[in-house]
Amino acid sequence: MVLKTAGADSLAPKPKPLAVAPSAPLSVLVAEDNRVNQRLITRLLERGGHRITMTSNGREVVARYSEERFDLILMDVQMPEVDGLQATAQIRALEAATGGNTPIIALTAHAMIGDREKFLAAGLDAYLPKPIDPSALQAAVAAATNGAVRDAASRAEIQDP
Ligand code: MN
């Protein structure tokens, strides 16, 4: 039997953090009804130099979207009033009339990860599981600058235990 010691563990190679290229400052529209997650998302995005517009339900996010252009939308799936899937469908319907194709990344509980087909059908580009992993969020936001949102979020999802 081999007993591992703390000393031996500390000598083991540590996994390198995911290399994330710094992204250009983006204007990000966020829909999230949970205060703790609102603060976390705001802190992470501000650290990246992005401009944040925070809303707390699906009705507000659609209203803000129709007033202003954004580079990226982060959409909580479970929200009061109008949920994230309904809000995404409404935004896609507006875009069908006015043009544009804003990347939308869903933020969702682990239990709903199996609903991938439903998410994509609603018009979401990608989704990140909650609790939010800061490096996965930063990778997805960085990818929004080069149109690779789906790829980055898929990688983040695979790495999530
Ligand atoms: Mn929620």
Side-chain angles (χ1 to χ4, degrees):
M1 184 178 176
V2 178
L3 290 176
K4 275 190 169 179
T5 67
D9 266 347
S10 69
L11 292 174
K14 293 203 165 55
K16 287 176 97 174
L18 182 66
V20 179
S23 68
L26 302 177
S27 182
V28 185
L29 177 59
V30 183
E32 168 62 66
D33 63 309
N34 179 284
R35 291 285 166 88
V36 174
N37 283 331
Q38 284 184 355
R39 281 197 292 271
L40 172 64
I41 292 165
T42 299
R43 196 168 67 236
L44 290 172
L45 292 179
E46 281 179 349
R47 198 182 292 164
H50 306 297
R51 195 168 72 78
I52 302 116
T53 300
M54 183 65 68
T55 64
S56 54
N57 66 56
R59 205 176 43 192
E60 281 177 32
V61 72
V62 174
R64 292 294 287 128
Y65 171 83
S66 60
E67 291 166 359
E68 195 179 331
R69 196 196 160 278
F70 294 93
D71 299 309
L72 173 68
I73 301 173
L74 297 181
M75 183 77 80
D76 180 27
V77 171
Q78 291 176 295
M79 292 186 292
E81 309 267 350
V82 173
D83 73 25
L85 296 185
Q86 292 170 313
T88 298
Q90 289 177 22
I91 287 170
R92 293 307 184 212
L94 287 168
E95 286 179 337
T98 63
N101 184 24
T102 310
I104 306 181
I105 300 174
L107 307 171
T108 186
H110 265 289
M112 291 181 72
I113 287 297
D115 293 347
R116 177 187 169 82
E117 296 309 319
K118 199 166 87 182
F119 290 175
L120 298 180
L124 292 162
D125 293 288
Y127 52 92
L128 293 171
K130 288 182 178 180
I132 296 163
D133 172 48
S135 65
L137 178 64
Q138 281 159 353
V141 170
T145 60
N146 62 17
V149 173
R150 192 171 303 197
D151 289 350
S154 306
R155 283 198 298 276
E157 184 194 326
I158 289 162
Q159 288 170 352
D160 200 68

